[in-house]
Amino acid sequence: MTRYLICFIGSLLVTNTFAQSINQGEDLVFNLDFETSFDADGPVDLGEHYVLADYKSNKLKFFDKESLTTVKSVEFLREGPNSTKWPMGMSRFNGSLIVLDFYKSEINFLDDKTVVGMQLDFLDKTNGNRGHMSTWVSRVTPGEKYIYVPFQPRIAINSGEVNHKINSILRINVKTGEQDEFLPFPNNYLKPVAGGYTSFSSITYNQNKKSLFVSFPLNESVYEITGDSEVLEHKVDSKAHLNFDSHFYSDASEQKRAFDRHEYSKNYLEKESYWYFQYDKHSDIYWRIINLPIEYSDQDLSTHEAAKQRKIRIEVLNSELKSIFLSNAIEGLDVSLNSGNAFVSPKGLHIKSNSQEVEEELRFKTFVFSKN
């Protein structure tokens, strides 16, 4: 039986305030060939290379880590039993590249010719009221023994109702294929709330603790699933002090009116929320992106274009999940669900730039946390 524990990050702990800062480092710029688009998925660090997946050209692109130029291009195998019909989302598991096949509801382990060497099924075996959409915010995440799949609830077509009474994490044992489920959405998600963006949890694996950590857009806590299958809630005393009340509707009828008027996305963009969450093994910290509200005057843009204009703040949590730094507002970054991207390397946190200055380049802004 899974035990559900709560760990309070106490306000009595003293924050070290000496010379802590987030500084901007050197841009990370990938030199693209004519086939690779700005919307390519990744990169994934595969040891000698970074790998980008360009789903438009149906190819994996291997980049030299020094020059950041393409050294190899491999086409996805789309036919046959060992194929990947609808690739979506990449990760690395013990040196192997894994890609989610949305069409088959499988996780595929690829060799250097994109032939599938092993498959893991993650098809939802409940009543079909949830699914997994792999994005840069919420993607399949490997540990040492397991692969974790974050689920999002489906939105009822007629009413817009969203049932968050589901387990949000599926854990798959890579060796045996055995599956376990964990972590219902937090209690505040039981109130009427828009579906879609608000349901994309961001998950990250901490190799030192051998635990998965989960952050939800509308909840301050960070949740931990340990290697011993315990579920821990860490009450984070965030320096951002976000207020989520305005995200929720007073009742189901108000929620349906918002849904009928196609206001779900607009309501979300106008309010603050947590977003990308990532453990940085190089610095033993956690990065947490906070979405700031988009001003109403910006709403003449499409939802996607409006999201690309969003300003963010970056919060840093230490290894014990205590908030130790919060940046000022930062602009010029693409943190939209559809085309945004971020990842961590030894150089810091890299976030996709909104200003792709040269057509043949994919530019990431770099942020470095200094803690003297």
Side-chain angles (χ1 to χ4, degrees):
M1 178 182 293
T2 298
R3 289 193 294 154
Y4 197 89
L5 305 177
I6 299 179
C7 301
F8 290 92
I9 307 299
S11 59
L12 294 179
L13 296 177
V14 178
T15 303
N16 178 10
T17 59
F18 294 101
Q20 294 185 142
S21 62
I22 292 178
N23 302 308
Q24 192 159 322
E26 184 179 351
D27 289 1
L28 201 64
V29 182
F30 289 83
N31 300 289
L32 305 181
D33 58 27
F34 69 96
E35 293 179 313
T36 311
S37 74
F38 292 140
D39 296 332
D41 188 22
V44 170
D45 186 344
L46 206 60
E48 294 182 3
H49 303 103
Y50 282 125
V51 181
L52 288 174
D54 189 83
Y55 304 131
K56 293 180 181 178
S57 65
N58 192 38
K59 291 181 179 180
L60 289 174
K61 301 289 185 174
F62 292 76
F63 287 77
D64 177 78
K65 294 179 81 171
E66 294 298 324
S67 65
L68 294 181
T69 56
T70 307
V71 295
K72 183 168 64 173
S73 178
V74 184
E75 191 166 354
F76 278 105
L77 187 66
R78 289 294 185 95
E79 301 295 333
N82 294 323
S83 63
T84 305
K85 289 188 175 296
W86 189 343
M88 177 187 290
M90 288 192 306
S91 299
R92 172 185 176 177
F93 181 83
N94 292 343
S96 297
L97 189 68
I98 61 174
V99 177
L100 181 145
D101 189 330
F102 185 75
Y103 180 83
K104 298 180 181 178
S105 291
E106 292 175 340
I107 299 168
N108 292 339
F109 292 68
L110 305 183
D111 65 15
D112 59 0
K113 297 180 180 178
T114 74
V115 175
V116 177
M118 182 173 70
Q119 296 173 328
L120 291 175
D121 170 35
F122 70 91
L123 184 65
D124 181 20
K125 297 180 175 63
T126 65
N127 58 8
N129 65 347
R130 66 184 186 180
H132 169 73
M133 180 67 69
S134 186
T135 72
W136 68 279
V137 174
S138 184
R139 66 171 67 239
V140 170
T141 298
E144 275 96 354
K145 295 169 49 181
Y146 304 103
I147 288 178
Y148 301 86
V149 181
F151 278 125
Q152 302 93 32
R154 301 190 190 280
I155 303 174
I157 297 176
N158 296 325
S159 65
E161 183 181 357
V162 185
N163 179 15
H164 282 100
K165 296 179 181 178
I166 64 168
N167 285 321
S168 64
I169 302 295
L170 177 70
R171 187 182 72 180
I172 307 174
N173 187 306
V174 175
K175 186 175 181 179
T176 67
E178 182 181 0
Q179 299 184 5
D180 297 294
E181 296 183 7
F182 299 89
L183 192 58
F185 276 77
N187 287 336
N188 62 327
Y189 274 84
L190 300 181
K191 297 181 288 186
V193 64
Y197 294 104
T198 59
S199 302
F200 280 93
S201 63
S202 189
I203 68 177
T204 185
Y205 189 77
N206 184 322
Q207 299 90 337
N208 294 329
K209 295 181 181 289
K210 301 190 184 306
S211 292
L212 185 80
F213 290 83
V214 185
S215 173
F216 294 93
L218 306 185
N219 197 277
E220 202 166 61
S221 293
V222 172
Y223 296 82
E224 177 183 0
I225 301 173
T226 72
D228 295 327
S229 302
E230 290 184 327
V231 178
L232 314 176
E233 179 184 2
H234 298 274
K235 296 280 191 179
V236 180
D237 185 13
S238 172
K239 295 180 182 298
H241 304 296
L242 303 191
N243 186 339
F244 305 112
D245 292 345
S246 59
H247 280 276
F248 298 94
Y249 300 103
S250 58
D251 52 34
S253 60
E254 183 186 11
Q255 180 182 13
K256 187 177 187 310
R257 284 194 298 273
F259 177 74
D260 291 342
R261 295 170 183 167
H262 306 287
E263 293 178 346
Y264 268 13
S265 296
K266 176 176 176 290
N267 289 347
Y268 174 76
L269 290 170
E270 290 179 336
K271 300 170 179 64
E272 57 193 5
S273 59
Y274 291 113
W275 205 219
Y276 178 77
F277 181 65
Q278 182 67 40
Y279 175 66
D280 185 341
K281 67 179 181 181
H282 311 288
S283 302
D284 197 22
I285 58 172
Y286 297 87
W287 300 94
R288 202 179 199 185
I289 288 179
I290 297 170
N291 288 324
L292 297 181
I294 294 204
E295 295 180 6
Y296 190 80
S297 60
D298 292 333
Q299 290 296 336
D300 57 340
L301 301 169
S302 69
T303 298
H304 173 58
E305 289 303 315
K308 289 180 69 172
Q309 307 304 317
R310 195 162 203 166
K311 296 177 183 178
I312 66 167
R313 300 178 80 180
I314 300 175
E315 186 165 32
V316 177
L317 310 181
N318 67 12
S319 60
E320 301 304 318
L321 295 167
K322 177 176 173 56
S323 177
I324 56 175
F325 188 83
L326 180 66
S327 76
N328 294 323
I330 304 171
E331 60 185 353
L333 304 173
D334 186 356
V335 294
S336 61
L337 187 64
N338 293 338
S339 65
N341 216 337
F343 68 101
V344 168
S345 83
K347 296 181 179 180
L349 171 67
H350 308 283
I351 306 177
K352 186 178 177 182
S353 173
N354 249 336
S355 177
Q356 299 298 337
E357 301 166 10
V358 180
E359 187 176 349
E360 295 83 12
E361 294 178 349
L362 177 59
R363 183 174 299 272
F364 288 83
K365 296 296 181 181
T366 301
F367 298 90
V368 181
F369 178 61
S370 174
K371 48 179 180 179
N372 282 342

